[in-house]
Amino acid sequence: MGHRETYGGGRAFLQLMNERQRFPFVVACIATAIVVGFSLLTTHLIDPAPKAANETYWYLERSAGFTSYGLLSIAVLLGASSSLSFWERWNMRKLMTQMHQYASLLVFPFLFFHLWGLYMDKSVSFGIIQLLIPLTTRYRAIPTALGILTLYAWLTLIVTSYFREKIGVKIWRAIHILSFPMFFAVTFHGLFSGTDSNKLWAVLIYVVPTVIFTILCLKRIRKSTITTSKNHVPKHANQRTQEHVR
């Protein structure tokens, strides 16, 4: 009975999603399980010496952090460009939407390993509370707090995206505005809390997507302003224009 109830609950959860969202969700869950299983295998079965193990977790937290930021950048940039017209020109809108969904979900397994590496790395003490509650650690408190808040913001965006049809498009769009300040916040987190932030290659990883994101945001604002101004043209002005044309 327990297995049937579990499967029934899982099916009910998937049925709440849009059909197009189910496959990316399942793939992301499988990818997460594979990465978690492989990491457990390498860190516990191989059982390296304490010093080597700490070094392993140090590399884990750094590489997973950069990977999750890269996936987040892809997801946010594709989302920010979704309302622009150049994807339609190349007939790639559907593909870009799918990539946006995959990248959004794959952020979480690598974010999990980033947090796990921080927790296991003994060079800086991070407990569960310090990893999940802002301003509870003395290590670069503000950038670290922004990283934690970004985690909750991104989780909110993903959950509401899967239940967009249930909560309504207007509410979903209002919540999705979080993605704009969130991306700047996580960039600040990476630049000022990472151990590689003083290196040029690391700075470029953060700066290049942020510049592109800013350009896309400005284009969206400009497009929205033009559309709004067109919609608010007085009726008598349109009549005069038509009479002038005649």
Side-chain angles (χ1 to χ4, degrees):
M1 290 296 292
H3 290 292
R4 290 181 180 177
E5 290 176 359
T6 300
Y7 294 146
R11 290 172 182 171
F13 179 76
L14 289 176
Q15 287 175 357
L16 289 173
M17 299 179 183
N18 188 296
E19 291 184 1
R20 294 175 297 177
Q21 296 171 327
R22 294 173 189 171
F23 185 69
F25 177 80
V26 173
V27 170
C29 290
I30 293 173
T32 303
I34 292 174
V35 175
V36 171
F38 182 76
S39 180
L40 286 171
L41 181 68
T42 55
T43 55
H44 290 282
L45 295 183
I46 297 176
D47 192 22
K51 183 178 180 181
N54 194 76
E55 187 175 277
T56 299
Y57 289 120
W58 183 65
Y59 281 113
L60 175 66
E61 69 191 49
R62 293 167 64 217
S63 58
F66 281 116
T67 303
S68 60
Y69 182 82
L71 289 167
L72 181 65
S73 299
I74 293 172
V76 170
L77 292 176
L78 289 175
S81 62
S82 62
S83 65
L84 303 178
S85 59
F86 51 85
W87 294 129
E88 279 96 356
R89 295 175 189 172
W90 300 339
N91 295 321
M92 296 178 64
R93 184 178 181 83
K94 183 177 179 181
L95 176 61
M96 294 301 105
T97 300
Q98 293 176 338
M99 289 183 63
H100 171 72
Q101 293 176 352
Y102 281 113
S104 299
L105 286 170
L106 289 175
V107 168
F108 285 106
F110 292 99
L111 187 56
F112 166 79
F113 280 102
H114 177 60
L115 296 175
W116 189 17
L118 288 170
Y119 177 76
M120 298 299 293
D121 183 6
K122 304 306 178 184
S123 58
V124 178
S125 180
F126 278 101
I128 298 297
I129 293 177
Q130 286 76 24
L131 289 173
L132 298 179
I133 300 178
L135 302 176
T136 55
T137 179
R138 295 182 179 178
Y139 178 80
R140 304 180 182 180
I142 299 300
T144 303
L146 289 175
I148 297 171
L149 292 174
T150 300
L151 167 64
Y152 295 131
W154 190 244
L155 182 61
T156 301
L157 291 174
I158 295 298
V159 171
T160 53
S161 293
Y162 275 93
F163 301 106
R164 178 173 59 180
E165 295 179 358
K166 305 297 179 181
I167 64 176
V169 176
K170 289 184 178 181
I171 297 176
W172 172 78
R173 285 178 178 173
I175 295 174
H176 241 62
I177 295 175
L178 281 173
S179 62
F180 295 93
M182 180 207 68
F183 188 69
F184 291 112
V186 74
T187 300
F188 185 89
H189 163 76
L191 282 172
F192 293 97
S193 66
T195 56
D196 297 301
S197 299
N198 58 344
K199 298 175 182 177
L200 179 61
W201 62 267
V203 173
L204 290 176
I205 287 177
Y206 294 114
V207 171
V208 172
T210 304
V211 171
I212 298 174
F213 180 68
T214 303
I215 294 172
L216 290 175
C217 289
L218 293 175
K219 285 182 174 291
R220 283 175 65 106
I221 293 171
R222 182 174 178 272
K223 182 179 179 181
S224 178
T225 303
I226 293 173
T227 303
T228 303
S229 62
K230 287 182 179 179
N231 292 334
H232 285 80
V233 174
K235 293 183 179 180
H236 62 272
N238 291 331
Q239 293 175 354
R240 290 178 182 176
T241 302
Q242 292 175 359
E243 292 175 357
H244 179 74
V245 171
R246 289 176 184 175

